[in-house]
Amino acid sequence: MKRAPYSSISYYFPVSRIVKSGVALFLAVVLSPVSPVTAEVTLQQDANFNNDWILSGSGTYSEAINLPESTLVLDSTKRVTGSSANMMIKGDITVGGYLQRDSYFEGFGGGQGGWITFSGNSTQTVNGSMEIGGHTTINIGNDANSTANFTVTGDTLIGSTMTSNMYVRPGSTFSANGGFKLNENGAQGHLELYGTMNLNSAVADSIRLGTADNKQYTSSVKVQNGGVLNAKNTVVHCGYNGQLQFFLNSGGTANIYGITYGRNGDQDSAYANANKTLNLLGGTLNLGAGGVSVREGKDSYPFQFRSGTVSTMEGTTDTTIQNVEIAVGDGATHFKPAEGASITVSSNFIDSTYTEYGTGGVIHSSGTGTLDIAGNFTTTGGLSADSGKTVISGTFADGKLVVNGGTTEITGNLTTADGVEVNNGATLRLNYNDSEKNASKAPITVNAGGKLEFATTGTTNQNGFYHPITLNGGTIVEGTGDWKHIREGILTLTADSYIETRARIALSSPVYGENYTLTKSGGGQLCLGNDETYLKKVVITNGILYLDANNSGRNITEGILVEGGYYGFWGTAERYAKVTFSKNGYLQSNASNSGSTTDSIYTLQDATNFNISNDEGAKFTMRGKLVAADGIILQKTGEREFVLTGDTREFQGIFQIDSGSIILKNGGNESGNTYNFGVTLNGGTLEIGDNGTYQIGKAITSKKADAKIINSTGATGSLSLGKAGNTVTFAVEDGKSLTVETPVTTQGGAFTKTGNGTLDIHTLNVTSGTFNLGTSAVDSVTETINVSEGVKLTGSADLNANLVLAGNNTIEVALTGTKDNWNADAIQILEGSTLTIAPTTVFELTSDITDTLSLDMLFTENGVTLLESAGADFSGLSFDVIGDTELFGTSLIAMGNALGNIYLSQSTQVPEPATWVLLLAGVFGMLVWKRYSK
């Protein structure tokens, strides 16, 4: 209740008189218990208001007071000028009604009034309302040993008439379960907490600090070291109509559901923006879901943050600070949202407006939750993101951004000239697609262990990032989205550094780091797109590295090492890079006619996959130098053509063709390049694309049902078996086949066939030395065996191909002919050649011959059987012997089923009749000898 001022007839009794009076007897009944009090302290019933009790005087009251349904008035009369009434109550108080202090102590010169202190271990409960006014100071507790516990169940008003103060001392607690108002009627109210104050009301608008419209005086709340202000259930109104300074000093804590600053309704005041501020000077502000706002959005008030912490109350997931200005002093202020919670600051950060607070302080994001800076950040001290997640969705225009831990995500504007530094264990994520934001040129430095992530979630980010970026051992990481560009922002390496891609990153700007290595990881693509890229080395461990048409690779001094993933090209420009494929490294074709100049060097250290699968369906041409040691496998995959036109003299490995084709096309170069390779055909085709000779140094293996080695249209190139003593194995697995349409040239080397599959060599060119037709592979030659001058043929073979003899040759081989329908080209002794048939030579023909065998310059030795039938029909056979023909003791045909017509034409020597007799006799004798010899 609000009562009228007390009448002057109120009674005051000295202690000696209380003990002897009838009043004392009444008190003994009403008060339970009544204890002696010191002089000057009296408790009496108001003569005018029977339900009111007056506690007055100076001194100590030490026992319990129990006044049900009453009002307890704390010294409501004026004191003598020049003195003050100080009262300490050590006992418990239970007031059933109203605790009021609405008069004042005039004090000396109208100055400070009295002190009323509730101390010791007392418990005070007001089951109603409490009003403090008139220059009165209320102490809840008096020292660190106090445990005073004061509870008001109704409304509490501090500063009802004149300036009033309340102190909650260390160890003590004040709880207001109803409304709480500080400075209601034009006076000042001051609240200072060393202990705990609980403002428990959940009624909206019920907690008001700095309420009255007093243009000259400012109320204050100070939470000191050890002090705690709890207002967890509703919004606290600060400067509701009046003015309020709120101080959270070092060691103080405020747990507040929400704070609202500003005037009520449509009122206005010349002091509307003055002295309405929260000063965070080392304490901790824990906000609930109500956050911080300005009433009706009319005003924006500066908050002075010199140091301390802003966090979230337990159980709070999201809170917002808006419509105020956070003026940063010279200390360190921490925003610490709890794990799973977020603080959004849509207000602006500026330098402090109070000179005594200084400037240049640092804002720290150091929680485990999320801090979102949605306003403008223009403080010179900058921001340090230490942990959790920090989001800058506003404009970061001034001060340095230092990312020491957690993830900092930029969705707004990053324009500060002071730059950004990313340190070990921290990630800076650029996540915007807007062209204006992308054009920001704030410099970014990423140190060792730090990450810069491009995470734009749009389909493409063709706008690009323009930040100058320095990688000092740090890593660029790509997040979601597609095509991240660094356009005008130069990338500089000051230590060996890294790029990890998930989709695609294009470095359209120069890259400077001629003394350092750039390592690319991640399954995505990295495109180096500027020829002003100076690096020591580029290492690929995963994904794809492309040089596009604007980067020749000439300025990567130690070249590109493909340890894993792919290396490839965009566009058709020439390349000059040194590329080494190691471990699981691959070459990936991605653009039509991609290639490299003869200055490029491609070295295979381990098995390498060359995947040629151009989207355009075009071939891939490699014009550089190809190097591989013995046993290294170049695996060709993809359906497109892989054309080798460069220097391949140092390729000693194996072409494994799984799909598509490899085209060899450098034999005609001035370098005289040859290969010393092997081939494994799992699929696809090996193709000779020019007129050169390509030396086979390893086995030719077929694991395909219909494998082929062919010549391109119009090409006349060949495969060489190499020098004398070199034997090439054609290995054809069971059920598989290998067709060699390209001519095979011995050059002194030999070949064998293994496996149960089918080998079909169309043309065999025997160029020098002695060639043994008894090898198992000769029966795989199906068209022609061309024998050069000076070659000696030995052995025994099943001859399926045409035998073309040129120059001076000697045959010491028994040839079993199985070529169907031998024609005039089956055995050719070319014009101008000389053939010496040794005595052991036998041509055994198992197929019918009805055509002419053309023999030019035929010489035989004694005992030669020129033709021996194995059951073939020679009827109609004729020999066309051109030029000088010498037949010495020769049996032309033996064991023929039908001798047919033997015709020698165009001979320069016509045999005498006696010679014919001898020849026929010899034939007859051979027939008899053969028959009996069997």
Side-chain angles (χ1 to χ4, degrees):
M1 67 179 249
K2 182 74 169 63
R3 65 185 301 282
Y6 288 96
S7 169
S8 59
I9 63 172
S10 299
Y11 293 97
Y12 296 86
F13 293 101
V15 173
S16 59
R17 293 183 60 188
I18 291 178
V19 174
K20 298 178 181 179
S21 68
V23 174
L25 178 61
F26 177 81
L27 290 178
V29 175
V30 176
L31 300 184
S32 176
V34 176
S35 301
V37 295
T38 60
E40 300 282 341
V41 176
T42 61
L43 176 64
Q44 66 181 46
Q45 189 175 24
D46 191 331
N48 296 324
F49 301 95
N50 293 328
N51 290 329
D52 294 354
W53 289 83
I54 301 171
L55 183 62
S56 61
S58 298
T60 300
Y61 192 97
S62 60
E63 298 300 331
I65 302 173
N66 187 356
L67 299 175
E69 306 297 330
S70 299
T71 297
L72 178 62
V73 182
L74 302 180
D75 209 326
S76 63
T77 61
K78 295 182 179 179
R79 299 293 296 165
V80 178
T81 300
S83 66
S84 61
N86 298 317
M87 186 180 301
M88 179 179 291
I89 302 175
K90 292 184 177 181
D92 295 341
I93 295 179
T94 300
V95 180
Y98 188 86
L99 176 64
Q100 179 176 336
R101 177 64 185 98
D102 63 354
S103 296
Y104 61 92
F105 297 131
E106 184 178 309
F108 180 74
Q112 298 297 319
W115 291 71
I116 302 173
T117 302
F118 299 91
S119 64
N121 298 322
S122 61
T123 298
Q124 296 87 34
T125 301
V126 178
N127 292 312
S129 301
M130 183 177 80
E131 180 180 325
I132 304 298
H135 287 302
T136 303
T137 297
I138 301 294
N139 288 292
I140 309 301
N142 67 321
D143 54 36
N145 297 319
S146 296
T147 57
N149 191 336
F150 200 109
T151 301
V152 180
T153 61
D155 293 339
T156 300
L157 173 59
I158 307 295
S160 61
T161 56
M162 303 278 298
T163 298
S164 298
N165 309 309
M166 173 179 277
Y167 294 87
V168 180
R169 301 297 180 178
S172 296
T173 300
F174 177 85
S175 298
N177 296 334
F180 185 90
K181 298 177 183 178
L182 181 69
N183 179 359
E184 176 70 11
N185 296 319
Q188 286 177 284
H190 299 287
L191 177 64
E192 193 163 346
L193 304 181
Y194 298 89
T196 300
M197 173 175 278
N198 299 314
L199 305 180
N200 296 324
S201 176
V203 178
D205 242 19
S206 61
I207 301 177
R208 305 176 185 180
L209 307 179
T211 302
D213 185 10
N214 190 321
K215 300 178 180 180
Q216 299 179 348
Y217 301 105
T218 301
S219 297
S220 68
V221 174
K222 296 181 181 180
V223 184
Q224 307 286 24
N225 185 26
V228 178
L229 173 61
N230 293 317
K232 301 179 181 180
N233 299 317
T234 190
V235 170
V236 174
H237 294 274
C238 296
Y240 188 80
N241 280 332
Q243 302 167 77
L244 176 75
Q245 288 273 17
F246 194 142
F247 297 90
L248 267 172
N249 294 319
S250 179
T253 302
N255 301 301
I256 303 179
Y257 173 82
I259 300 175
T260 296
Y261 269 80
R263 301 176 58 77
N264 182 26
D266 295 327
Q267 300 181 53
D268 198 3
S269 169
Y271 293 84
N273 294 321
N275 297 318
K276 299 177 181 180
T277 185
L278 186 147
N279 303 283
L280 185 63
L281 305 177
T284 298
L285 173 61
N286 297 316
L287 286 170
V292 177
S293 63
V294 172
R295 191 175 186 86
E296 296 184 2
K298 286 179 176 285
D299 304 308
S300 177
Y301 304 118
F303 279 22
Q304 300 291 332
F305 282 12
R306 190 174 195 179
S307 60
T309 300
V310 180
S311 187
T312 51
M313 285 198 313
E314 183 178 356
T316 298
T317 57
D318 301 289
T319 191
T320 301
I321 300 176
Q322 57 188 342
N323 304 123
V324 299
E325 286 186 324
I326 299 177
V328 181
D330 55 9
T333 301
H334 291 262
F335 283 79
K336 299 181 68 173
E339 185 171 359
S342 67
I343 299 175
T344 299
V345 184
S346 58
S347 300
N348 297 330
F349 286 86
I350 62 173
D351 279 332
S352 176
T353 56
Y354 287 4
T355 56
E356 62 268 31
Y357 290 161
T359 57
V362 179
I363 297 295
H364 290 262
S365 176
S366 52
T368 55
T370 299
L371 171 65
D372 184 355
I373 298 177
N376 295 327
F377 195 98
T378 59
T379 72
T380 56
L383 172 67
S384 177
D386 303 329
S387 60
K389 183 177 181 180
T390 305
V391 178
I392 297 176
S393 57
T395 297
F396 197 97
D398 199 6
K400 188 173 184 179
L401 173 59
V402 180
V403 186
N404 289 318
T407 297
T408 297
E409 181 173 5
I410 312 294
T411 61
N413 292 309
L414 184 62
T415 61
T416 175
D418 294 321
V420 183
E421 179 180 314
V422 186
N423 294 319
N424 184 33
T427 297
L428 174 68
R429 178 182 299 152
L430 304 181
N431 195 4
Y432 44 76
N433 225 358
D434 181 82
S435 59
E436 181 180 351
K437 295 176 182 178
N438 290 333
S440 168
K441 297 184 178 181
I444 300 173
T445 298
V446 188
N447 294 318
K451 293 182 178 181
L452 170 63
E453 181 177 313
F454 298 147
T456 303
T457 56
T459 54
T460 59
N461 183 29
Q462 299 290 358
N463 292 320
F465 299 100
Y466 289 75
H467 301 278
I469 299 171
T470 298
L471 289 179
N472 185 33
T475 301
I476 291 177
V477 179
E478 182 185 30
T480 57
D482 191 13
W483 272 120
K484 314 302 183 300
H485 283 269
I486 298 179
R487 291 197 180 277
E488 296 182 8
I490 295 171
L491 177 63
T492 302
L493 272 64
T494 55
D496 293 345
S497 301
Y498 309 87
I499 292 182
E500 177 184 342
T501 62
R502 297 172 188 170
R504 288 181 283 188
I505 293 178
L507 301 181
S508 305
S509 296
V511 180
Y512 296 134
E514 57 186 348
N515 296 320
Y516 305 105
T517 296
L518 178 64
T519 298
K520 182 244 176 288
S521 62
Q525 303 172 13
L526 172 65
C527 184
L528 298 179
N530 192 299
D531 208 34
E532 297 299 310
T533 292
Y534 293 87
L535 291 167
K536 176 182 178 182
K537 183 191 294 186
V538 177
V539 178
I540 310 167
T541 62
N542 196 7
I544 304 174
L545 173 74
Y546 285 122
L547 298 181
D548 79 359
N550 299 313
N551 191 342
S552 67
R554 70 175 73 241
N555 297 319
I556 305 173
T557 55
E558 292 188 8
I560 299 170
L561 174 60
V562 189
E563 290 187 341
Y566 294 86
Y567 164 76
F569 312 111
W570 279 106
T572 60
E574 304 291 356
R575 307 307 197 286
Y576 298 85
K578 304 179 185 72
V579 186
T580 300
F581 296 91
S582 175
K583 296 181 180 177
N584 297 311
Y586 306 117
L587 181 140
Q588 172 72 56
S589 162
N590 196 74
S592 61
N593 298 316
S594 297
S596 59
T597 68
T598 54
D599 291 334
S600 294
I601 301 175
Y602 299 88
T603 302
L604 278 60
Q605 292 182 346
D606 296 283
T608 301
N609 184 336
F610 280 28
N611 186 338
I612 314 301
S613 55
N614 300 320
D615 296 337
E616 297 85 352
K619 61 188 177 182
F620 178 89
T621 301
M622 177 181 283
R623 291 181 281 275
K625 184 177 182 180
L626 183 63
V627 179
D630 188 8
I632 299 297
I633 295 175
L634 189 159
Q635 180 185 16
K636 162 65 176 69
T637 59
E639 297 303 320
R640 309 308 177 194
E641 300 171 344
F642 177 34
V643 183
L644 288 168
T645 64
D647 180 354
T648 53
R649 287 171 291 181
E650 295 183 45
F651 183 83
Q652 307 292 320
I654 297 172
F655 292 121
Q656 176 180 313
I657 306 175
D658 294 341
S659 58
S661 62
I662 291 180
I663 301 177
L664 308 181
K665 200 174 181 180
N666 67 351
N669 292 349
E670 293 181 0
S671 62
N673 294 341
T674 59
Y675 291 79
N676 188 18
F677 60 84
V679 179
T680 298
L681 293 166
N682 294 329
T685 304
L686 177 66
E687 185 173 337
I688 307 301
D690 58 9
N691 301 332
T693 299
Y694 297 88
Q695 181 172 302
I696 305 172
K698 312 294 184 302
I700 308 294
T701 303
S702 175
K703 298 182 179 181
K704 183 186 176 187
D706 57 349
K708 286 187 177 182
I709 299 175
I710 64 174
N711 276 358
S712 301
T713 302
T716 60
S718 63
L719 297 174
S720 170
L721 300 180
K723 61 185 179 180
N726 184 55
T727 299
V728 174
T729 299
F730 286 81
V732 187
E733 293 186 350
D734 188 16
K736 313 301 182 184
S737 69
L738 172 60
T739 300
V740 184
E741 297 180 5
T742 298
V744 177
T745 302
T746 64
Q747 291 186 326
F751 71 101
T752 62
K753 176 190 177 289
T754 62
N756 295 324
T758 300
L759 174 64
D760 181 359
I761 299 176
H762 284 197
T763 303
L764 177 64
N765 298 317
V766 184
T767 61
S768 61
T770 298
F771 186 74
N772 185 354
L773 288 177
T775 62
S776 62
V778 172
D779 62 358
S780 299
V781 182
T782 60
E783 292 185 4
T784 304
I785 299 177
N786 296 308
V787 183
S788 300
E789 182 176 3
V791 174
K792 181 179 181 181
L793 301 179
T794 64
S796 176
D798 183 358
L799 184 63
N800 298 318
N802 298 329
L803 181 62
V804 180
L805 306 169
N808 295 304
N809 306 110
T810 300
I811 296 180
E812 296 182 350
V813 63
L815 297 177
T816 300
T818 60
K819 183 175 177 62
D820 292 339
N821 298 316
W822 277 47
N823 54 38
D825 295 327
I827 302 176
Q828 298 182 62
I829 303 173
L830 299 181
E831 185 175 356
S833 299
T834 300
L835 175 64
T836 300
I837 301 178
T840 59
T841 299
V842 175
F843 294 116
E844 181 178 354
L845 307 180
T846 59
S847 298
D848 298 343
I849 298 178
T850 58
D851 208 337
T852 300
L853 294 180
S854 177
L855 306 176
D856 182 12
M857 300 303 291
L858 175 64
F859 293 88
T860 66
E861 298 181 6
N862 290 328
V864 170
T865 300
L866 188 60
L867 297 175
E868 180 173 319
S869 172
D873 183 3
F874 293 167
S875 60
L877 173 65
S878 64
F879 279 85
D880 185 5
V881 182
I882 304 172
D884 295 331
T885 301
E886 296 181 8
L887 303 176
F888 298 102
T890 300
S891 174
L892 290 179
I893 300 177
M895 295 186 66
N897 291 336
L899 295 179
N901 299 319
I902 299 175
Y903 174 68
L904 299 177
S905 65
Q906 299 182 11
S907 174
T908 57
Q909 298 181 9
V910 179
E912 295 293 330
T915 303
W916 285 108
V917 172
L918 291 174
L919 287 172
L920 294 173
V923 170
F924 179 78
M926 289 298 296
L927 291 173
V928 173
W929 180 80
K930 287 284 186 179
R931 180 171 299 172
Y932 284 102
S933 65
K934 294 182 179 179

